[in-house]
Amino acid sequence: MKKLLPALLLCGAALNPALAQSSRYYGVVDYGNVSYSGPGNYSSPGALSLSGGYNFLTNLDLEAGITLIGNADATVPGPGRVDLSEHIIHAVAVGKVPLNPQITLFGKAGVGLHDGSINGLPDDLIYGFGMQVRFDRELSMRVQYESLGSTQLPGGGTADMTRLSLGLAYHF
């Protein structure tokens, strides 16, 4: 027992700097274009996402944020020319598969509440996949493709939304 205690203290001292370098919280800013698919013709507005995350397990993050989508012009059956505007509050789980210390593939799935209309039930499923490249301990870049769910069109009907984006993540 007397020999085990110094060995445990030495292991703890060796692991402590490694644990200190592991940041569990992060913030992300993503920007990309949204594509609509549904009845009619649509422009592709820009979309900015601000998110915060927590590294819950080694390969699992929990992330929440808001996506602000710019105004889109649409020509839809019925009402004709309309403006679409959408904001989405989202909460997702992010599964990660590291390829090496710098490059990580990820997939995400969760729920989104459209236009902030929080009614107690999720409005839509959000899912996506991407790749993250880590530059140093704090900063990384990611590119991702996401399905943001559907938006309600004036006059009835829905249009599906997808987004391809590029972003920066800062690990605290």
Side-chain angles (χ1 to χ4, degrees), residues 93-104:
V94 181
K96 303 178 298 185
V97 178
L99 298 179
N100 61 40
Q102 288 80 31
I103 299 175
T104 301

Side-chain angles (χ1 to χ4, degrees), residues 19 21-27 52-64 92-98 104 132 134 170-172:
L19 292 175
Q21 291 180 13
S22 174
S23 54
R24 297 184 73 90
Y25 295 96
Y26 62 92
Y54 177 74
N55 181 235
F56 187 67
L57 297 171
T58 303
N59 293 332
L60 179 67
D61 293 348
L62 302 177
E63 192 173 294
V92 295
V94 181
K96 303 178 298 185
V97 178
T104 301
Q132 185 163 311
R134 184 163 254 191
Y170 185 81
H171 302 266
F172 300 99

Side-chain angles (χ1 to χ4, degrees), residues 43-56:
S43 63
S44 294
L48 176 70
S49 286
L50 304 171
S51 304
Y54 177 74
N55 181 235
F56 187 67

Side-chain angles (χ1 to χ4, degrees), residues 59 76 87 91 97 147 149 166:
N59 293 332
V76 295
H87 305 297
V97 178
S147 172
L166 181 65

Side-chain angles (χ1 to χ4, degrees), residues 16-146:
N16 197 24
L19 292 175
Q21 291 180 13
S22 174
S23 54
R24 297 184 73 90
Y25 295 96
Y26 62 92
V28 180
V29 175
D30 287 306
Y31 185 80
N33 283 335
V34 173
S35 298
Y36 292 92
S37 62
N41 297 320
Y42 306 89
S43 63
S44 294
L48 176 70
S49 286
L50 304 171
S51 304
Y54 177 74
N55 181 235
F56 187 67
L57 297 171
T58 303
N59 293 332
L60 179 67
D61 293 348
L62 302 177
E63 192 173 294
I66 185 167
T67 300
L68 308 169
I69 301 173
N71 290 337
D73 294 326
T75 305
V76 295
R81 187 175 174 86
V82 295
D83 288 330
L84 299 177
S85 179
E86 190 84 22
H87 305 297
I88 304 168
I89 297 171
H90 63 271
V92 295
V94 181
K96 303 178 298 185
V97 178
L99 298 179
N100 61 40
Q102 288 80 31
I103 299 175
T104 301
L105 300 178
F106 65 87
K108 61 185 346 184
V111 294
L113 302 167
H114 292 252
D115 282 328
S117 57
I118 300 173
N119 56 12
L121 296 173
D123 286 339
D124 240 326
L125 175 67
I126 293 177
Y127 59 91
F129 59 89
M131 179 179 71
Q132 185 163 311
V133 179
R134 184 163 254 191
F135 298 125
D136 59 23
R137 194 177 124 221
E138 290 92 14
L139 191 63
S140 56
M141 177 187 73
R142 70 181 186 181
V143 61
Q144 65 183 339
Y145 174 82
E146 297 174 286

